[in-house]
Amino acid sequence: MIEARTVWNAYGYTRVSKDDGSKDVSNSIKNQKDLILDFAEGNPDVNIVDVVSDDGATGANFDRTAFKDMINHIESGAVNCVVVKDFSRLGRDHIETGRYIERYFADKNVRFISINDNYDSLRADMSDSSNSLIVPFKNIISEAFLEDISTKTKSHLAVKRKNGEFVCNYAVYGYAKATDKKLVIDDFASEIVKAIFEHKILGYNEQQIAHMLNAKGTLSPAEYKKANGEAYNTPFAIKDKSQWTPNAIRRILTNRVYIGHLEQGKRTKVSYRLKRSFYQPREAWSIHEDKHDAIISKSDFELVQELMTKDTRISIEMGKLHLFSGLIYCGACNQAMSVKVVTKKSGKRYVNYVCATHKRFGTCRNNNISGKKIEEYILLFIRKHVDGLLSADETVDGIGLGELKSRKKLTYERMIEKSLDSIKEYNAFIVKSYVHFLEGVITQKEHDMFRDDFYRQIDDAEKQITHMRHEIERLGDNVASRELIEQFKAFGNITALDRRIVVGTIRSIIVHSNRDIEINLRYGIGFDLLQPSDIHDVTLGKAVV
C-alpha cells in the first residue's frame, strides 16, 4: 500500500509512437498533456512539477530519453508521483509495464495514476481480485495492440520493397531521398564516395582512406546527416561524434546501391520486443537493379570487389603502392611475389619482384624478376592489344562477344583449378610441417609460423575461387562485357603505366620458371602474342593470354 502524503510532487509522462502519432489525435502529445494538467486542477493534492514527453518512441521497451529522466528524478527523491493518460502511454510490454506499476513504484513509494483507466495506486487494493486482474489484463491488451501494429507494418513495408519502393528512413550516404521516395544523387557526398572508390583502386586500404578523410575534416556519414538537420541514428555508432572508420569505408565499398541497385530488407528483428536487429541471408533481401542513377560504374565496382580480396600494402619508402602489388604471382608455387627494393652505392634504386616462398624458405626455384623490365613489357603488351581491339571492333558484337565470354570463362575456370591445386598443396605443406616438428627438424614456433602462413594462403585461395565463380555467373551481362572492353580501349595512347591502368586492364601476372609471362587480361580475349623480338631490349619470354 502506498504511504499517503498531503501533496504529491508529480511528473506527467506522455508518449506517442511513430505508428499512432500522426493518425490518432487523441493520443497526441498536446492532448495527453492537457488531460494531465486538467486532472491536476481537479486534484489539489497532485502538484505537477513537469510534463515530459517521448515523441516518436515505441512502447515495446523502456529505452526512452524522457522516461529515463523521470526515473532519475524518482531515484533522487524529487518526484514521488507519476501521472499518465492510460497504461499504454507508460508502455506496451505487459511484463515490464506491470513490473513498474506493481513493484517499482510501490517499492519507491511513488503514487501512480492512469487517468483514463481510472486507476490510482494510492487507493487501489491489489488484494481485491478485480484490481489484481484488471491491471495486467489491460496491459496484455495494450501489448497485443502493439504486436498487431508491428505485424501490419512489416507486411506493408514488405509489399513496398517488393514493388521496388525505397522505404528506409534515411538515404544511404551519397544519396538523398526525393519526395517520391526514390534515391537521388547528393552532389557533395557522391564526390566523397567516388574518391573512396578511386583511392581503393589506387591501392590504399580502408584504414588509410579513413585516416585521410578524418585528417581533411570530412564529416562521416552520421555527422553529415546530422549537419543536414536529420535526426539520424545508426547501430554502428560507438562514439558521441563519429568519425570515418575502416568498417564504414568497407560498407561503402561493398554496397551495390552505388551502381544503381536497390537492396533492402538486409536486417530484421526477431521480435518487436527486441531493439537489436540481425542480418538476413542475401536470398531473403529485396533486390531491384538499376532503380536509380549510379555513382560508380559497374566495372569499377566489380574491380574494387576483387581488389578487396588481395593482399596489398603501401610502400613505406615511396608512400604509394607498387605498380603490380597484389597482381603478380610465381608460376611455380602460386605464391604472390613481393617487392624488393635495392639501392646501389650510386644511390640508384632498383625494384625487383621476388617469389615469396623463395624469399622466406628458399625452396622455390623461381627467384626474381626486374620491375623495370616487366613494366616495359606490359606497357607494350597492353598497347598491342588495345591496337588489336581498335582495328577489330566487330569482336565485341555478335559472335565476337560470344567468343569473348567463352574465353573469359575458360580463364576463370583455369584460375579456379589452379587455386584448388594450391589448396591441396598448402594442406600437404601443413601436414609435412607437423611431421617435421614431431621429428625435431623444426621448432614449435617455426611450425606455428608455417601453419598459420599456409592457412592464410588457403583462405586467400578460397576467396579467389568464390570471386571467380561469381565472375562466371556475371558472364551473361552483355552491357558489363561491352563496358569493360570500351574502358580497355581508352588506354590506346598510353606512354607510361600507372596503378589505375594496371588494375583496370590486368587481372593477374604469372611469372613462370622458364621466364614466360602469363598475363590474364580483364576482358579475356587474345590477339597475336608478343614474341621476344617485339620487346626489343626487354629480355623476357612470351606472354600467354
Side-chain angles (χ1 to χ4, degrees), residues 13-24 27-29 32 53-59 89:
Y13 178 74
T14 65
R15 180 190 65 81
V16 66
S17 72
K18 293 176 182 177
D19 294 311
D20 58 16
S22 61
K23 302 172 186 176
D24 189 353
N27 273 335
S28 69
I29 294 294
Q32 294 177 57
S53 305
D54 277 314
D55 196 351
T58 179
R89 296 307 93 193

Side-chain angles (χ1 to χ4, degrees), residues 253-476:
L253 291 174
T254 56
N255 196 337
R256 304 183 77 84
V257 71
Y258 297 115
I259 57 174
H261 295 357
L262 191 60
E263 298 180 338
Q264 300 183 105
K266 296 180 181 181
R267 300 175 70 92
T268 187
K269 289 184 179 180
V270 176
S271 168
Y272 66 91
R273 291 174 179 268
L274 302 177
K275 194 173 182 180
R276 184 181 174 189
S277 59
F278 302 88
Y279 273 108
Q280 296 199 96
R282 186 175 177 82
E283 55 268 22
W285 297 0
S286 174
I287 301 174
H288 294 268
E289 297 187 355
D290 303 319
K291 290 297 292 184
H292 50 264
D293 292 336
I295 294 175
I296 304 299
S297 70
K298 292 179 181 178
S299 57
D300 275 358
F301 184 85
E302 294 303 330
L303 172 58
V304 164
Q305 305 319 297
E306 181 182 337
L307 292 177
M308 291 181 74
T309 68
K310 296 184 180 296
D311 182 16
T312 56
R313 294 179 178 90
I314 296 292
S315 164
I316 296 175
E317 302 93 346
M318 300 174 63
K320 62 180 180 179
L321 200 70
H322 286 290
L323 202 55
F324 306 115
S325 184
L327 299 174
I328 186 167
Y329 299 88
C330 172
C333 66
N334 294 318
Q335 286 272 23
M337 300 186 78
S338 58
V339 173
K340 181 179 180 181
V341 180
V342 178
T343 305
K344 300 292 185 181
K345 290 182 180 179
S346 62
K348 195 168 184 179
R349 297 156 63 90
Y350 295 89
V351 175
N352 294 320
Y353 287 89
V354 183
C355 169
T357 303
H358 179 86
K359 184 178 179 181
R360 292 177 187 171
F361 315 117
T363 56
C364 183
R365 59 185 179 274
N366 255 4
N367 193 341
N368 64 68
I369 191 167
S370 164
K372 184 175 184 297
K373 288 186 176 181
I374 199 169
E375 182 177 343
E376 293 174 2
Y377 176 75
I378 289 177
L379 174 61
L380 286 170
F381 184 85
I382 291 175
R383 293 182 67 176
K384 182 175 178 67
H385 277 263
V386 172
D387 290 343
L389 280 174
L390 293 174
S391 62
D393 270 344
E394 65 275 7
T395 59
V396 300
D397 293 312
I399 296 175
L401 188 56
E403 181 188 355
L404 163 69
K405 294 175 183 178
S406 177
R407 295 293 295 272
K408 286 180 74 173
K409 184 178 180 182
L410 286 174
T411 300
Y412 297 147
E413 289 174 344
R414 183 171 58 183
M415 293 176 73
I416 289 173
E417 187 177 344
K418 286 186 177 181
S419 293
L420 289 171
D421 289 341
S422 296
I423 290 173
K424 291 180 183 177
E425 187 176 358
Y426 296 143
N427 279 317
F429 285 152
I430 291 171
V431 174
K432 191 173 182 180
S433 173
Y434 183 65
V435 171
H436 284 174
F437 164 64
L438 293 178
E439 294 175 348
V441 177
I442 59 176
T443 65
Q444 174 77 54
K445 185 176 181 180
E446 289 173 329
H447 166 258
D448 292 345
M449 180 185 70
F450 293 152
R451 180 200 59 201
D452 293 345
D453 183 68
F454 289 132
Y455 275 132
R456 183 178 64 81
Q457 296 297 333
I458 289 172
D459 185 57
D460 290 344
E462 287 175 344
K463 288 179 181 177
Q464 285 284 3
I465 290 171
T466 300
H467 178 74
M468 290 301 106
R469 285 174 175 163
H470 176 67
E471 289 294 307
I472 290 175
E473 291 177 0
R474 291 183 63 250
L475 287 178

Side-chain angles (χ1 to χ4, degrees), residues 26 61 123 142 154 234 241 244 277 292 326 370 376 391 422 474 476 483 524:
S26 67
N61 59 65
R123 300 179 178 86
S142 180
K154 276 188 175 181
T234 171
K241 185 175 182 180
W244 288 96
S277 59
H292 50 264
S370 164
E376 293 174 2
S391 62
S422 296
R474 291 183 63 250
E483 181 183 338

Side-chain angles (χ1 to χ4, degrees), residues 71-129:
I71 294 298
N72 288 336
H73 280 78
I74 290 173
E75 293 291 334
S76 70
V79 173
N80 53 27
C81 180
V82 174
V83 183
V84 297
K85 172 180 175 282
D86 55 46
F87 290 143
S88 70
R89 296 307 93 193
L90 185 67
R92 289 191 182 277
D93 181 329
H94 80 275
I95 295 176
E96 279 298 291
T97 302
R99 185 180 71 82
Y100 274 105
I101 294 173
E102 298 173 25
R103 291 175 179 258
Y104 178 79
F105 292 150
D107 289 344
K108 297 294 180 180
N109 197 36
V110 171
R111 180 182 179 185
F112 177 71
I113 300 170
S114 177
I115 300 170
N116 285 358
D117 295 306
N118 198 27
Y119 176 84
D120 185 342
S121 62
L122 182 62
R123 300 179 178 86
D125 181 5
M126 295 308 292
S127 63
D128 186 337
S129 61

Side-chain angles (χ1 to χ4, degrees), residues 8 36-48 111 113 120 123:
W8 297 82
I36 291 169
L37 293 177
D38 286 345
F39 174 84
E41 272 190 30
N43 294 269
D45 61 332
V46 177
N47 172 43
I48 301 294
R111 180 182 179 185
I113 300 170
D120 185 342
R123 300 179 178 86

